[in-house]
Amino acid sequence: MSMLTPPGMGGKKYRITGDRHPRMRRPRHRRRIALTIVAAVCVLGLAGWGTLQLIDVFGGTAGKAQAAESKEKCGDGRPDEGRKPARPAAGPPLPEPATMTVNVLNATQRSGLAKRTADALKKRGFMIGKVGNAPAAYDKKVTTSGLLLGPKAAADGQLKVLGTQLTGARQQTDDRKDTAVDLIIGDAFKDLTTAKDAEKSLARLKHPAPPPPAPEKC
């Protein structure tokens, strides 16, 4: 029989008899470390899984809901069948050619242009006033196809209607008292706009196309 102190027995002495030996125990602090590590891994795993769920809920479902709501408010780019485009504000009615008196004056060195142009305008329904040479203030000084001259009240009516008959003509107003308008033929004049094109221009002038609806701000 002998007295031994095996390692890990806390310094205690045990008596060994026969062929039996005292049971050896592992240090308890190692067991605690292992349990702590396992617990930490589990916590981190649960935290990561929860984070992914939150991202899916608020980033996916909520994002889709917000996109759908925005799509309903702002539209998806397709025309709304139930919404009609706004019509432009109606202005004063344009005068008919038959109610307009046009003076045809020639400011070029080419003879016969005033008479020929006046006859063509008469066939298109305009009333013809004076036909002849342009006054000195405009004679040989109009470089465009023509100058349409009238009172200030004619700026948005008579001059626009007459402008459909001569492409490239410049419009100008003066202080005249009567309502007649002048078509002063310039150096670049070749001929009046064709009757067909003039009719189309006059129709667009009377019935302008509505502007596209403005997109909603989102």
Side-chain angles (χ1 to χ4, degrees):
M1 183 175 63
S2 63
M3 300 296 290
L4 296 176
T5 305
M9 301 301 290
K12 296 181 180 181
K13 295 182 180 181
Y14 295 86
R15 181 177 296 174
I16 299 175
T17 59
D19 55 356
R20 285 191 170 186
H21 299 277
R23 185 175 181 180
M24 306 297 289
R25 294 183 181 180
R26 295 182 178 179
R28 292 184 179 179
H29 66 280
R30 293 183 180 178
R31 225 186 260 178
R32 291 177 182 175
I33 293 174
L35 292 175
T36 302
I37 292 174
V38 172
V41 171
C42 293
V43 171
L44 290 175
L46 290 174
W49 180 83
T51 303
L52 291 176
Q53 293 298 315
L54 290 175
I55 291 175
D56 182 59
V57 170
F58 292 100
T61 307
K64 291 179 181 178
Q66 291 176 357
E69 183 179 357
S70 176
K71 191 175 182 180
E72 289 180 1
K73 291 182 179 179
C74 303
D76 56 0
R78 294 177 296 180
D80 189 352
E81 296 179 355
R83 181 186 302 172
K84 296 182 179 180
R87 293 183 175 273
L94 295 172
E96 295 295 330
T99 64
M100 296 173 52
T101 299
V102 182
N103 302 319
V104 183
L105 308 173
N106 186 5
T108 74
Q109 295 180 346
R110 292 174 287 170
S111 62
L113 288 182
K115 177 68 168 62
R116 189 180 69 189
T117 303
D119 290 343
L121 288 175
K122 186 176 181 179
K123 290 180 180 179
R124 298 182 184 187
F126 291 89
M127 294 180 64
I128 304 301
K130 298 178 182 179
V131 179
N133 294 326
Y138 301 102
D139 189 27
K140 300 178 182 63
K141 296 177 182 178
V142 180
T143 58
T144 59
S145 62
L147 173 63
L148 309 181
L149 191 61
K152 294 179 180 179
D156 294 328
Q158 290 176 294
L159 293 182
K160 285 187 175 181
V161 172
L162 187 57
T164 63
Q165 309 300 312
L166 183 57
T167 303
R170 185 165 55 91
Q171 298 182 17
Q172 185 176 320
T173 60
D174 56 15
D175 296 327
R176 69 181 63 190
K177 301 301 181 181
D178 61 356
T179 59
V181 293
D182 300 340
L183 190 159
I184 303 176
I185 301 172
D187 294 335
F189 177 85
K190 293 182 179 179
D191 204 345
L192 292 175
T193 305
T194 63
K196 185 177 181 180
D197 290 340
E199 288 178 3
K200 290 181 179 179
S201 298
L202 188 57
R204 287 194 298 266
L205 191 63
K206 291 181 177 180
H207 306 286
E216 297 182 9
K217 295 182 179 180
C218 302

